[in-house]
Amino acid sequence: MRVALPARMNLQRVAMSAVRATVCALAVASCGGDPSTSPAPTSEPLPTTDALRSSSDLLSSREMRKDVSLTPLFFTQFVDPAPGPVYVHAAAVDERGNTFVLGHNVRDVNFVYRFDPKGAFVSQTLAAAAEFLDESVLRANDTGFVTAGTQGGGGPSIRVDRFDAGGQRLFQYSGPPMTIAGGADVCRDGTTLVAQATTAGDGAVIAFDTSGEAKWTATFDDVAPTDVRCVGDRSVRVVGASRSGSAVAIALGADGSTDWRYASSDSVVAP
């Protein structure tokens, strides 16, 4: 069983299947082939902004990571030897300027592709074999990166894979049945935050150390998280939707206790 793709991701899959592999800083297009084969990078001159806007082979300029002068930081392209697209789900940039892209190929094998600050291909890391991730999340910093998503098969459940800075898997977490990915983040001290929602409309945030041991868990009886972030003072911010449809923001302390909670007065989609 596969969990239905969000409308935005359905459109992305159609778009990515129509073009070959293209990376514009944060945005990556397609590649494909044998999951055991690393893609071969190719280099091209950095195009002008006007050329980027006029090229039908590139994503919208709004999807490219840019500096303050609105100049693309890099343009690169890579292609696997075997035919077939790679569908992009998420991307992230760490403090050193490395770009990470999460995507899956036609065999539903999920990889994280890493590019250095100049756009050169660095590595390909297996994130999940033969499992399709929906509601996918990718976050990165100097301690490594984390992928999270909802996997099908016997009912939806969240799956999280945490990697160190070298791409070695530190731990994997699989949630109970009928749970949906509601965000993930990596904190500066190496803590991994995982937000999960249930199909009943409640949820939780779990903080893991680098070994995969849970440090604390904060539960929400009437809120389904949609995103979670670490804050510099080791506190945590969570956003989501209540069962009534109102947007909710929650601030958690370093131990998972609730500092404050805000709910919108109108019934709106959570940010």
Side-chain angles (χ1 to χ4, degrees), residues 114-162:
R114 181 187 303 196
F115 303 84
D116 71 14
K118 294 183 177 180
F121 174 80
V122 176
S123 63
Q124 174 182 352
T125 302
L126 178 66
E131 294 183 0
F132 188 78
L133 298 182
D134 293 347
E135 294 85 35
S136 300
V137 178
L138 172 63
R139 296 286 292 170
N141 64 14
D142 284 348
T143 71
F145 57 96
V146 62
T147 63
T150 305
Q151 59 187 2
S157 63
I158 184 175
R159 167 167 171 156
V160 178
D161 292 270
R162 176 70 156 93

Side-chain angles (χ1 to χ4, degrees), residues 131-217:
E131 294 183 0
F132 188 78
L133 298 182
D134 293 347
E135 294 85 35
S136 300
V137 178
L138 172 63
R139 296 286 292 170
N141 64 14
D142 284 348
T143 71
F145 57 96
V146 62
T147 63
T150 305
Q151 59 187 2
S157 63
I158 184 175
R159 167 167 171 156
V160 178
D161 292 270
R162 176 70 156 93
F163 302 86
D164 65 17
Q168 296 298 311
R169 192 186 309 272
L170 295 176
F171 68 85
Q172 174 185 313
Y173 166 74
S174 295
M178 311 310 289
T179 53
I180 301 169
D185 202 7
V186 283
C187 308
R188 292 182 178 178
D189 64 357
T191 298
T192 301
L193 298 177
V194 175
Q196 63 185 32
T198 72
T199 54
D202 51 19
V205 171
I206 309 171
F208 296 94
D209 63 21
T210 54
S211 68
E213 292 293 324
K215 300 166 63 174
W216 52 260
T217 300

Side-chain angles (χ1 to χ4, degrees), residues 40-51:
T42 61
S43 299
E44 295 187 12
L46 183 68
T48 64
T49 301
D50 289 340

